[in-house]
Amino acid sequence: MTRAYNFCAGPATLPEEVLRQARDEMLDWQGSGMSVMEMSHRSDEFVSIAETAERDLRELAGVSDDYAVLFMQGGASSQFATIPLNLMAADGSADYVNTGIWSKKAIAEASRYGKVNVVASSEEGGFTTVPDQSQWDCSVEASYLHYTPNETIGGLEFDFVPDSGPVPLVADMSSTMLSRPVDVSKFGLIYAGAQKNIGPSGLVTVIIRKDLLGHARRETPTMMNYQVIADNGSMYNTPATYSWYLAGLVFKWLKAQGGVEAIGQLNQRKASKLYNFIDDSDFYANPIAPRFRSWMNVPFTLAEDSLNNDFLAGANARGLLNLKGHRSVGGMRASLYNAMPEAGVDALIDYMAEFARERG
Ligand SMILES: *Cc1c(COP(=O)(O)O)cnc(C)c1O
């Protein structure tokens, strides 16, 4: 069996060690005689798995007791509605920054529940930069300020945490969570779909400052009420037990790599290698302002779009998978999440150099 290098944006590559451990424990978790998939979520075994995962996530991300950590379902997209239902009064408003396709989806969904003010947007320039914060038209009346630190599709990443003053800062960290150190205390709420850096799809981790609990609107579905989920240890209903377990294995793996500080340095090195290669080539290009280039998702184009299919076929033949760009952007995209080894980036660059030599 050979594992390919999988550059998919999500669901994304997982650490091989994690998959091996899950395989070894598949039929019999630590002498319990059961697979984790078959366990009651109320059992001592599963409760220990769940609590360990939460503890490790808190340690990795530096989450204090002022915050609740929730393991919810429905992916990041369900949070687009859950957030306004819990944090915005029906006659209130929220501020949103528009830096790409995920921002737009969050804005569209929140707009169904109240007044959304788009305080800044880089749409006119094709989402290739982050608007300077001095130009943002924020309001102290807003229930919260929402932004997307890493736009997974465009490959645009904030290199700063916005200052929202007294207004709670809300971040969709789906594709950047645990990829570099972040000061959680600057945020009111952080959410992340698991399938990029954390585990299987469907699971979504939510880190919420406790004073923001308990304000859900009356009509909020029970399953979307942060207070209810927090009060029940994310087990108001049957949680996504196997995904939660796998996330826990990923957290252990990340701790063994040295945590977010160490993985952040590795991620920066991986991304710089690829961007430097692209910039030095006259065959490949990336349109994002260098300061805001994503460490996680690197879109690039070839000199001729007509070569795209040949490029992808050659990549597949070498075990470099899922490099096709998002349909809305075109070209290619290499996602370099935590679990992508540096050797995968090296293999990609070797192939890109060879392709450019032969076809450029
Ligand atoms: C992947 C992604 C989402 C959507 O996640 P789902 O789990 O599919 O709902 C939302 N926001 C960002 C930034 C993403 O990368």
mmCIF file of all heavy atoms in Angstrom, residues 202-222:
data_model
loop_
_atom_site.group_PDB
_atom_site.id
_atom_site.type_symbol
_atom_site.label_atom_id
_atom_site.label_comp_id
_atom_site.label_asym_id
_atom_site.label_seq_id
_atom_site.Cartn_x
_atom_site.Cartn_y
_atom_site.Cartn_z
ATOM 1 N N GLY A 202 -18.329 16.990 9.014
ATOM 2 C CA GLY A 202 -19.569 16.904 9.780
ATOM 3 C C GLY A 202 -19.402 17.492 11.167
ATOM 4 O O GLY A 202 -20.267 18.206 11.657
ATOM 5 N N LEU A 203 -18.264 17.198 11.783
ATOM 6 C CA LEU A 203 -17.967 17.736 13.112
ATOM 7 C C LEU A 203 -17.564 19.206 12.982
ATOM 8 O O LEU A 203 -16.900 19.582 12.017
ATOM 9 C CB LEU A 203 -16.797 16.934 13.704
ATOM 10 C CG LEU A 203 -16.345 17.268 15.120
ATOM 11 C CD1 LEU A 203 -17.378 16.799 16.133
ATOM 12 C CD2 LEU A 203 -14.994 16.591 15.404
ATOM 13 N N VAL A 204 -17.975 20.020 13.941
ATOM 14 C CA VAL A 204 -17.513 21.415 13.959
ATOM 15 C C VAL A 204 -17.184 21.776 15.405
ATOM 16 O O VAL A 204 -17.963 21.504 16.318
ATOM 17 C CB VAL A 204 -18.547 22.379 13.312
ATOM 18 C CG1 VAL A 204 -19.928 22.200 13.895
ATOM 19 C CG2 VAL A 204 -18.118 23.845 13.437
ATOM 20 N N THR A 205 -15.989 22.314 15.603
ATOM 21 C CA THR A 205 -15.597 22.721 16.955
ATOM 22 C C THR A 205 -15.920 24.201 17.137
ATOM 23 O O THR A 205 -15.694 25.014 16.235
ATOM 24 C CB THR A 205 -14.098 22.490 17.197
ATOM 25 O OG1 THR A 205 -13.348 23.117 16.162
ATOM 26 C CG2 THR A 205 -13.750 21.012 17.207
ATOM 27 N N VAL A 206 -16.461 24.516 18.304
ATOM 28 C CA VAL A 206 -16.841 25.901 18.614
ATOM 29 C C VAL A 206 -16.193 26.275 19.950
ATOM 30 O O VAL A 206 -16.316 25.533 20.927
ATOM 31 C CB VAL A 206 -18.373 26.047 18.722
ATOM 32 C CG1 VAL A 206 -18.755 27.457 19.149
ATOM 33 C CG2 VAL A 206 -19.052 25.679 17.405
ATOM 34 N N ILE A 207 -15.494 27.395 19.960
ATOM 35 C CA ILE A 207 -14.907 27.918 21.196
ATOM 36 C C ILE A 207 -15.609 29.243 21.461
ATOM 37 O O ILE A 207 -15.524 30.167 20.652
ATOM 38 C CB ILE A 207 -13.379 28.129 21.021
ATOM 39 C CG1 ILE A 207 -12.691 26.790 20.693
ATOM 40 C CG2 ILE A 207 -12.770 28.764 22.270
ATOM 41 C CD1 ILE A 207 -11.229 26.931 20.276
ATOM 42 N N ILE A 208 -16.358 29.300 22.551
ATOM 43 C CA ILE A 208 -17.210 30.477 22.783
ATOM 44 C C ILE A 208 -16.991 31.020 24.189
ATOM 45 O O ILE A 208 -16.964 30.255 25.160
ATOM 46 C CB ILE A 208 -18.709 30.147 22.516
ATOM 47 C CG1 ILE A 208 -19.593 31.363 22.819
ATOM 48 C CG2 ILE A 208 -19.179 28.922 23.283
ATOM 49 C CD1 ILE A 208 -21.045 31.213 22.361
ATOM 50 N N ARG A 209 -16.821 32.343 24.270
ATOM 51 C CA ARG A 209 -16.665 32.985 25.579
ATOM 52 C C ARG A 209 -17.960 32.813 26.361
ATOM 53 O O ARG A 209 -19.051 33.022 25.833
ATOM 54 C CB ARG A 209 -16.320 34.469 25.387
ATOM 55 C CG ARG A 209 -15.336 34.999 26.409
ATOM 56 C CD ARG A 209 -14.891 36.398 26.068
ATOM 57 N NE ARG A 209 -16.068 37.264 25.964
ATOM 58 C CZ ARG A 209 -16.171 38.288 25.120
ATOM 59 N NH1 ARG A 209 -15.188 38.616 24.318
ATOM 60 N NH2 ARG A 209 -17.275 39.010 25.093
ATOM 61 N N LYS A 210 -17.819 32.425 27.635
ATOM 62 C CA LYS A 210 -19.009 31.980 28.367
ATOM 63 C C LYS A 210 -20.067 33.074 28.535
ATOM 64 O O LYS A 210 -21.249 32.777 28.609
ATOM 65 C CB LYS A 210 -18.594 31.401 29.722
ATOM 66 C CG LYS A 210 -17.959 30.015 29.572
ATOM 67 C CD LYS A 210 -17.485 29.452 30.894
ATOM 68 C CE LYS A 210 -16.867 28.063 30.700
ATOM 69 N NZ LYS A 210 -16.057 27.649 31.867
ATOM 70 N N ASP A 211 -19.652 34.340 28.549
ATOM 71 C CA ASP A 211 -20.663 35.390 28.713
ATOM 72 C C ASP A 211 -21.547 35.526 27.468
ATOM 73 O O ASP A 211 -22.579 36.208 27.501
ATOM 74 C CB ASP A 211 -20.004 36.740 29.039
ATOM 75 C CG ASP A 211 -19.110 37.225 27.911
ATOM 76 O OD1 ASP A 211 -17.985 36.694 27.774
ATOM 77 O OD2 ASP A 211 -19.533 38.108 27.144
ATOM 78 N N LEU A 212 -21.165 34.876 26.366
ATOM 79 C CA LEU A 212 -21.986 34.937 25.147
ATOM 80 C C LEU A 212 -23.015 33.795 25.093
ATOM 81 O O LEU A 212 -23.843 33.733 24.184
ATOM 82 C CB LEU A 212 -21.096 34.885 23.897
ATOM 83 C CG LEU A 212 -20.130 36.065 23.761
ATOM 84 C CD1 LEU A 212 -19.203 35.867 22.563
ATOM 85 C CD2 LEU A 212 -20.890 37.387 23.614
ATOM 86 N N LEU A 213 -22.943 32.905 26.071
ATOM 87 C CA LEU A 213 -23.957 31.845 26.149
ATOM 88 C C LEU A 213 -25.248 32.422 26.733
ATOM 89 O O LEU A 213 -25.222 33.407 27.469
ATOM 90 C CB LEU A 213 -23.462 30.708 27.061
ATOM 91 C CG LEU A 213 -22.216 29.945 26.613
ATOM 92 C CD1 LEU A 213 -21.704 29.057 27.748
ATOM 93 C CD2 LEU A 213 -22.521 29.120 25.374
ATOM 94 N N GLY A 214 -26.362 31.767 26.405
ATOM 95 C CA GLY A 214 -27.610 32.114 27.087
ATOM 96 C C GLY A 214 -28.367 33.271 26.483
ATOM 97 O O GLY A 214 -29.270 33.820 27.111
ATOM 98 N N HIS A 215 -27.988 33.690 25.263
ATOM 99 C CA HIS A 215 -28.698 34.806 24.625
ATOM 100 C C HIS A 215 -29.432 34.383 23.362
ATOM 101 O O HIS A 215 -29.799 35.225 22.541
ATOM 102 C CB HIS A 215 -27.718 35.928 24.279
ATOM 103 C CG HIS A 215 -26.929 36.415 25.459
ATOM 104 N ND1 HIS A 215 -27.509 37.082 26.510
ATOM 105 C CD2 HIS A 215 -25.622 36.296 25.768
ATOM 106 C CE1 HIS A 215 -26.572 37.377 27.410
ATOM 107 N NE2 HIS A 215 -25.423 36.900 26.990
ATOM 108 N N ALA A 216 -29.655 33.076 23.190
ATOM 109 C CA ALA A 216 -30.284 32.611 21.945
ATOM 110 C C ALA A 216 -31.709 33.129 21.837
ATOM 111 O O ALA A 216 -32.412 33.280 22.838
ATOM 112 C CB ALA A 216 -30.279 31.085 21.892
ATOM 113 N N ARG A 217 -32.127 33.394 20.615
ATOM 114 C CA ARG A 217 -33.514 33.800 20.396
ATOM 115 C C ARG A 217 -34.448 32.638 20.702
ATOM 116 O O ARG A 217 -34.075 31.482 20.584
ATOM 117 C CB ARG A 217 -33.702 34.178 18.926
ATOM 118 C CG ARG A 217 -32.972 35.426 18.570
ATOM 119 C CD ARG A 217 -33.439 35.840 17.198
ATOM 120 N NE ARG A 217 -32.389 36.585 16.541
ATOM 121 C CZ ARG A 217 -32.410 36.899 15.255
ATOM 122 N NH1 ARG A 217 -33.410 36.491 14.488
ATOM 123 N NH2 ARG A 217 -31.448 37.607 14.732
ATOM 124 N N ARG A 218 -35.680 32.985 21.053
ATOM 125 C CA ARG A 218 -36.675 31.994 21.431
ATOM 126 C C ARG A 218 -36.843 30.899 20.368
ATOM 127 O O ARG A 218 -36.976 29.724 20.671
ATOM 128 C CB ARG A 218 -38.019 32.689 21.641
ATOM 129 C CG ARG A 218 -38.784 32.236 22.883
ATOM 130 C CD ARG A 218 -40.119 32.973 22.951
ATOM 131 N NE ARG A 218 -40.939 32.639 21.780
ATOM 132 C CZ ARG A 218 -41.645 31.526 21.672
ATOM 133 N NH1 ARG A 218 -41.676 30.657 22.653
ATOM 134 N NH2 ARG A 218 -42.353 31.285 20.580
ATOM 135 N N GLU A 219 -36.807 31.304 19.094
ATOM 136 C CA GLU A 219 -37.103 30.339 18.023
ATOM 137 C C GLU A 219 -35.878 29.501 17.641
ATOM 138 O O GLU A 219 -35.956 28.660 16.751
ATOM 139 C CB GLU A 219 -37.657 31.060 16.790
ATOM 140 C CG GLU A 219 -36.661 31.920 16.023
ATOM 141 C CD GLU A 219 -36.597 33.371 16.522
ATOM 142 O OE1 GLU A 219 -36.952 33.631 17.692
ATOM 143 O OE2 GLU A 219 -36.189 34.233 15.723
ATOM 144 N N THR A 220 -34.757 29.713 18.296
ATOM 145 C CA THR A 220 -33.539 28.964 17.949
ATOM 146 C C THR A 220 -33.767 27.463 18.153
ATOM 147 O O THR A 220 -34.187 27.050 19.234
ATOM 148 C CB THR A 220 -32.366 29.417 18.849
ATOM 149 O OG1 THR A 220 -32.211 30.821 18.711
ATOM 150 C CG2 THR A 220 -31.068 28.714 18.466
ATOM 151 N N PRO A 221 -33.502 26.643 17.134
ATOM 152 C CA PRO A 221 -33.641 25.198 17.348
ATOM 153 C C PRO A 221 -32.764 24.757 18.527
ATOM 154 O O PRO A 221 -31.640 25.254 18.692
ATOM 155 C CB PRO A 221 -33.129 24.601 16.029
ATOM 156 C CG PRO A 221 -33.323 25.692 15.015
ATOM 157 C CD PRO A 221 -33.106 26.976 15.767
ATOM 158 N N THR A 222 -33.294 23.858 19.338
ATOM 159 C CA THR A 222 -32.572 23.414 20.529
ATOM 160 C C THR A 222 -31.156 22.957 20.181
ATOM 161 O O THR A 222 -30.202 23.260 20.895
ATOM 162 C CB THR A 222 -33.337 22.256 21.192
ATOM 163 O OG1 THR A 222 -34.690 22.665 21.376
ATOM 164 C CG2 THR A 222 -32.732 21.872 22.522
#
